[in-house]
Amino acid sequence: MPCFYINSVCLLLAVIAMNVVSINADCQSMYSGFIFSSGCIGADDSACPSTCTDYLTSLHESCEGEVLSTDDEGKEDLYSVNSFLALGLLASDSCEENIQNEFLTILEGSTCRTILESNSVASIFLCSDESDAESEGECSDFCKELIDEMYSTCAATDTWGEEGEEMTAQATAFSLSLFRGDTCNTYAATKTFQTPVSTTTSASIATLQLASLVSLITLSAIFFI
């Protein structure tokens, strides 16, 4: 895995700061021990050990809704299903598919906000042109599933993001197209939200795309703080 991804994902693990509550010791121990204890990293190229997905599933069950200490200075962030996805980005290639399938199972029934966050992370790290090349010019099934979840769960006017920096699902979709690879964008272009927005002029769309891109980058910065 390129150094850029390793460094970025390590920073990505701080997913959306929330209100501070007491830290669950079991959750914190499993989260901190992921790299050395899960079996997901350094796995043989031919097979992913069952301990990998078992570890992540147990971690998710222990940490869901819990607060984590994410750095040496005691910063505390709320664990979410997207923390699971971020940890999976650190895993060996042989474990990638197993982790992604488990993630999709956990994601079922999630809110529009959570699914938009997932699409934002995946569009940059998993559904880009580079990922297209690795999957022989095809949008991966995982990326298609996430795109499907976004359009089937969200209305165009649903919002997500920090207070004062919210984006609509429609604006997010515009922005994600700037990060996803061509094959995934072609797939996404066949989808529509539950509640389509009214038709806008080309100039209005261009303005919206620019504003959306700036907002998405701002929101994504949350993952790197």
Side-chain angles (χ1 to χ4, degrees):
M1 182 177 291
C3 291
F4 166 77
Y5 286 123
I6 294 175
N7 292 336
S8 298
V9 172
C10 286
L11 292 172
L12 180 64
L13 298 179
V15 183
I16 305 178
M18 292 286 186
N19 47 309
V20 176
V21 297
S22 59
I23 294 175
N24 181 307
D26 290 340
C27 163
Q28 185 67 51
S29 176
M30 293 193 73
Y31 186 86
S32 300
F34 170 78
I35 291 177
F36 301 106
S37 304
S38 66
C40 301
I41 298 175
D44 185 271
D45 289 341
S46 61
C48 180
S50 60
T51 54
C52 174
T53 48
D54 289 346
Y55 189 98
L56 279 170
T57 300
S58 296
L59 184 151
H60 178 74
E61 292 172 351
S62 296
C63 291
E64 188 172 17
E66 299 288 347
V67 166
L68 295 164
S69 175
T70 56
D71 61 26
D72 294 336
E73 296 179 359
K75 180 181 178 183
E76 296 178 353
D77 297 318
L78 184 68
Y79 174 93
S80 76
V81 66
N82 289 309
S83 305
F84 184 106
L85 179 59
L87 286 171
L89 293 173
L90 291 169
S92 299
D93 291 344
S94 60
C95 293
E96 182 177 280
E97 183 175 356
N98 291 349
I99 292 172
Q100 290 176 357
N101 289 339
E102 185 66 22
F103 173 79
L104 289 173
T105 299
I106 292 172
L107 190 66
E108 291 178 2
S110 293
T111 63
C112 174
R113 176 193 178 100
T114 296
I115 291 169
L116 288 173
E117 290 171 2
S118 301
N119 269 270
S120 298
V121 174
S123 293
I124 296 170
F125 291 99
L126 298 169
C127 309
S128 63
D129 280 324
E130 182 177 333
S131 299
D132 277 358
E134 291 175 355
S135 56
E136 300 180 350
E138 296 291 332
C139 183
S140 70
D141 289 340
F142 177 73
C143 293
K144 288 178 179 178
E145 289 273 1
L146 280 181
I147 291 168
D148 288 344
E149 285 285 346
M150 179 173 69
Y151 282 99
S152 64
T153 302
C154 300
T157 53
D158 285 344
T159 60
W160 73 293
E162 296 298 297
E163 184 177 353
E165 298 176 350
E166 296 92 345
M167 291 177 65
T168 65
Q170 183 70 58
T172 300
F174 278 131
S175 297
L176 295 181
S177 68
L178 303 176
F179 294 95
R180 284 193 302 248
D182 291 341
T183 58
C184 287
N185 279 335
T186 298
Y187 181 80
T190 67
K191 306 296 178 180
T192 56
F193 286 107
Q194 295 181 55
T195 309
V197 293
S198 58
T199 302
T200 57
T201 65
S202 296
S204 297
I205 291 176
T207 301
L208 178 59
Q209 286 179 314
L210 178 59
S212 299
L213 176 60
V214 172
S215 296
L216 183 61
I217 291 173
T218 301
L219 289 170
S220 297
I222 295 170
F223 297 125
F224 298 95
I225 295 173

